[in-house]
Amino acid sequence: MKNFSIKGFLNQFTGVQAGKKFYNDTKSGALDERREELHGRIEDRKEGFDLQKTLHDFWYGKPHGERRLGDLYIGNTGLYKHREWRGVKDTMYYFNMIWLYNYGNMLLDIFKSDEPLSFFKGVLRYRWMGQTYLTVMHWFDRGLEGLRGEALKASAWHYRAMVSETIRQFMRMFAADKKLHLDEANEYWYKTIAHDETVSGNIFYGWRDRFDDVALQMIPYFVSCHVNNKTVLNYIDAMQSIGLPADPCPMCQAESGIFVLDDYPDYSPVMVTSNEACDGSVATSIITDWFLDRPLFAMPQPMRFDDPLVHKHCMEEIEQCWKFIEKETGEPFNWEEFKKHAEAQNKLTEFEREKWDVAANTPYYPINGVAQALYRIYYSQDGDREIWHKTDAHVRKILNKCVFNKIETFPNTRHRAIAWSCAPLYYSNWCTWAYNCWGINTIINMDSLMFNQTIRTDTYEHALDDLARYNELAPMRSMAVGGHEHIFQLWDYMEQFNCDMVIMYDQLQCKGMQGIKGRFEDEFRERNIHAIWVPHALPDKRTVSRKEIRSIINDYMTTVMQEEPLDPSLIDFDDDASW
């Protein structure tokens, strides 16, 4: 047998085969047919080529039905090959006022902080830090996908504010963190108050002139999950590894897992906790107390707070919390400082109500569902900060322009939806997808409607009364587990915001909402309301993936609504590997 050479075989085979094919094609006239076919295609393209439309699409961007946003994704990732061309004006705005502007201001926010070099220590020390800060612009891309004009600008300002305040918080953490300072307490450590992310920042207004207050889980857990949906999975696994069953709320699991993996900064001599959102988070407080091992005040919030006696008890608990802070810090409550920040917070609330009025009664509201919801939750929970007022000033100008000039900011709206119950944290930008793909415009979210409380400052007693009510209306408290009369406020809000569809978030591990699911089904049928149930597990994307959520929406819109997608390229894609 002759020696066999793969290279020689390939050369011989390809050469011979190519020669035979060329000979046969020439003999049969196939080359002429192919030449004619190619010529026909060229002619068709010439006839179909519209120079005027091409130039129009370049200058203004392609219209909604022709964008094919799904074609921008790298296969099986949901990550971009390149960013969307939105037309010259909007693309340049995105590049300059969103991409460059935010990167520049992120650096500025770091270097104007108390201890700039601690940023680099924090990136190396804390896993959640490197996973979120370096991917933050992809968070912008997802949330702002497809937006144009004033909607792009207004929504982007909300994202900028959240990033700026996030940097302020973690830089304060790092400046005071014992773990980054050879386990020694410095001046910042003694002047910072730590609290649960569900304890509102307005509780600490009376000390803002001498102390800073930073929510412990807000940065490692809540914000990080929205930016990068992989960050909290290891915390959930860590909590289960020490014996916690998998069925409690994964939010509580993730918050506790931060301590199990020692992935939290040690930045305060005291801690204020809460049992909100549900009684499952009582366990979180126990874990927190165990690991921190320092003075801790638990400020529980009642499930049912309509009873006047219960409300009075909540007022007393807030006063007890203030006495705790006074005792542990040696600094008294400053009523004038509290008044200053409470009145400033009222201005934020008043403008929020103005925005709701425009959203409810006109098509001129320039903020998309994800920007509106995240910003509202963030600032109302965080409390009065300068960045919120600056942002509202920018957004007010855009809002007034849209109303005065009657600019329809979401012109492809087919359905005005209200999103109810607790949203999937790992897929907060699903409503951006829903609008681009199906024209489902999420006008308002349940969490956005809470904290709708101004705080009177004419007397101490009135302020305490309103502050207690404010904290009783905390995220996921009143409208998720606060009794059916609060949960069923959905019907009133549907009417107020002129919505024709409900996106019903179905948090699979929330015992409170699971217990009333049947009542909702009965009401939806009786009222003839289109409601899409979206199952999820808050921060844990492994239970229900983002692709599964999209498939549920797709099935409902095609089978029940019998509608065609606005952008078919967004119907089916896999983004499990993306951030």
Side-chain angles (χ1 to χ4, degrees), residues 414-415 438 530 554-565:
R414 289 174 174 173
H415 302 283
W438 291 105
H530 286 290
N554 293 338
D555 289 345
Y556 192 95
M557 297 306 293
T558 54
T559 59
V560 179
M561 305 303 294
Q562 297 186 352
E563 295 181 5
E564 294 294 326

Side-chain angles (χ1 to χ4, degrees), residues 57-283:
D57 289 347
F58 172 78
W59 191 258
Y60 295 104
K62 288 185 177 181
H64 197 112
E66 300 176 17
R67 293 178 191 175
R68 294 195 62 82
L69 295 172
D71 292 346
L72 298 176
Y73 303 146
I74 300 171
N76 300 321
T77 67
L79 300 172
Y80 285 135
K81 301 173 187 174
H82 57 81
R83 287 182 172 84
E84 175 193 1
W85 181 259
R86 304 169 193 252
V88 173
K89 185 177 180 180
D90 286 338
T91 301
M92 291 302 103
Y93 184 90
Y94 199 102
F95 180 74
N96 288 294
M97 289 302 296
I98 299 178
W99 197 83
L100 286 179
Y101 181 83
N102 276 280
Y103 268 129
N105 276 278
M106 282 191 285
L107 293 174
L108 184 62
D109 287 337
I110 290 171
F111 285 106
K112 72 180 182 183
S113 63
D114 298 320
E115 200 174 281
L117 293 181
S118 64
F119 168 79
F120 302 101
K121 296 179 183 178
V123 169
L124 296 175
R125 173 60 178 82
Y126 297 109
R127 171 175 176 156
W128 46 266
M129 183 63 195
Q131 287 183 323
T132 55
Y133 189 82
L134 300 178
T135 61
V136 70
M137 287 313 299
H138 187 60
W139 183 45
F140 279 70
D141 290 339
R142 288 197 309 257
L144 305 177
E145 186 175 71
L147 294 186
R148 305 283 177 85
E150 306 311 310
L152 173 65
K153 297 174 185 177
S155 301
W157 278 116
H158 289 82
Y159 272 78
R160 166 88 277 271
M162 290 186 286
V163 170
S164 178
E165 176 58 14
T166 295
I167 293 172
R168 188 201 67 78
Q169 290 188 60
F170 69 61
M171 289 305 294
R172 178 66 183 207
M173 283 179 166
F174 295 162
D177 189 7
K178 279 186 176 182
K179 297 175 183 178
L180 301 183
H181 295 86
L182 303 176
D183 205 30
E184 293 183 1
N186 59 19
E187 178 186 359
Y188 297 119
W189 189 85
Y190 287 107
K191 294 295 184 181
T192 308
I193 300 173
H195 58 95
D196 275 350
E197 63 174 332
T198 50
V199 175
S200 178
N202 58 19
I203 292 291
F204 311 101
Y205 283 169
W207 288 270
R208 280 277 177 92
D209 55 335
R210 291 150 290 166
F211 291 82
D212 200 355
D213 51 277
V214 181
L216 193 149
Q217 304 98 338
M218 179 69 80
I219 308 304
Y221 159 72
F222 181 78
V223 175
S224 67
C225 186
H226 287 287
V227 179
N228 183 347
N229 65 15
K230 303 176 188 296
T231 54
V232 303
L233 303 181
N234 56 314
Y235 303 134
I236 295 172
D237 294 342
M239 199 60 204
Q240 294 178 15
S241 72
I242 63 172
L244 183 73
D247 66 312
C249 175
M251 173 179 173
C252 306
Q253 295 184 54
E255 290 179 344
S256 301
I258 291 170
F259 293 96
V260 175
L261 294 182
D262 189 30
D263 213 15
Y264 65 95
D266 181 352
Y267 61 92
S268 174
V270 296
M271 181 70 183
V272 178
T273 65
S274 170
N275 66 328
E276 203 277 312
C278 64
D279 288 341
S281 58
V282 172

Side-chain angles (χ1 to χ4, degrees), residues 455-466:
I455 299 174
R456 290 171 292 174
T457 58
D458 54 336
T459 67
Y460 173 88
E461 289 73 20
H462 283 163
L464 186 60
D465 180 58
D466 291 339

Side-chain angles (χ1 to χ4, degrees), residues 371-576:
Q372 189 276 335
L374 290 178
Y375 179 78
R376 169 68 173 155
I377 295 169
Y378 207 138
Y379 89 71
S380 56
Q381 192 71 46
D382 185 44
D384 175 51
R385 302 284 178 182
E386 183 182 0
I387 187 64
W388 311 132
H389 297 278
K390 289 182 177 179
T391 301
D392 281 3
H394 287 295
V395 174
R396 184 184 292 276
K397 292 179 182 178
I398 297 172
L399 183 70
N400 290 342
K401 177 182 177 181
C402 291
V403 173
F404 182 79
N405 296 324
K406 294 182 168 48
I407 300 172
E408 291 195 31
T409 46
F410 296 94
N412 292 284
T413 298
R414 289 174 174 173
H415 302 283
R416 292 171 59 89
I418 181 171
W420 204 250
S421 192
C422 312
L425 305 184
Y426 59 90
Y427 198 16
S428 57
N429 62 298
W430 84 267
C431 49
T432 307
W433 167 85
Y435 174 76
N436 288 328
C437 186
W438 291 105
I440 300 174
N441 188 2
T442 305
I443 304 298
I444 199 73
N445 293 263
M446 182 193 77
D447 287 344
S448 305
L449 296 164
M450 290 179 283
F451 289 137
N452 184 22
Q453 176 75 36
T454 55
I455 299 174
R456 290 171 292 174
T457 58
D458 54 336
T459 67
Y460 173 88
E461 289 73 20
H462 283 163
L464 186 60
D465 180 58
D466 291 339
L467 186 60
R469 177 63 64 183
Y470 185 96
N471 281 274
E472 289 162 0
L473 300 176
M476 300 179 288
R477 169 57 75 191
S478 63
M479 299 176 193
V481 291
H484 70 275
E485 65 270 29
H486 297 289
I487 295 173
F488 284 161
Q489 285 180 285
L490 168 62
W491 323 123
D492 296 331
Y493 284 119
M494 276 197 75
E495 183 177 352
Q496 177 183 337
F497 286 92
N498 294 297
C499 295
D500 66 323
M501 180 177 284
V502 178
I503 303 300
M504 196 68 196
Y505 294 133
D506 186 13
Q507 211 282 77
L508 300 177
Q509 288 154 281
C510 179
K511 308 303 186 293
M513 288 302 290
Q514 286 293 317
I516 204 169
K517 184 173 181 180
R519 287 287 306 276
F520 266 114
E521 288 280 16
D522 292 341
E523 291 287 340
F524 287 144
R525 281 191 289 267
E526 184 176 335
R527 297 169 184 268
N528 194 29
I529 291 174
H530 286 290
I532 307 177
W533 286 88
V534 177
H536 66 92
L538 272 178
D540 193 345
K541 68 167 189 172
R542 297 168 298 188
T543 304
V544 180
S545 70
R546 294 185 290 194
K547 185 174 183 178
E548 289 177 89
I549 290 175
R550 290 193 296 271
S551 69
I552 291 169
I553 305 291
N554 293 338
D555 289 345
Y556 192 95
M557 297 306 293
T558 54
T559 59
V560 179
M561 305 303 294
Q562 297 186 352
E563 295 181 5
E564 294 294 326
L566 295 175
D567 187 342
S569 69
L570 293 173
I571 286 288
D572 185 24
F573 62 92
D574 184 7
D575 59 348
D576 186 63

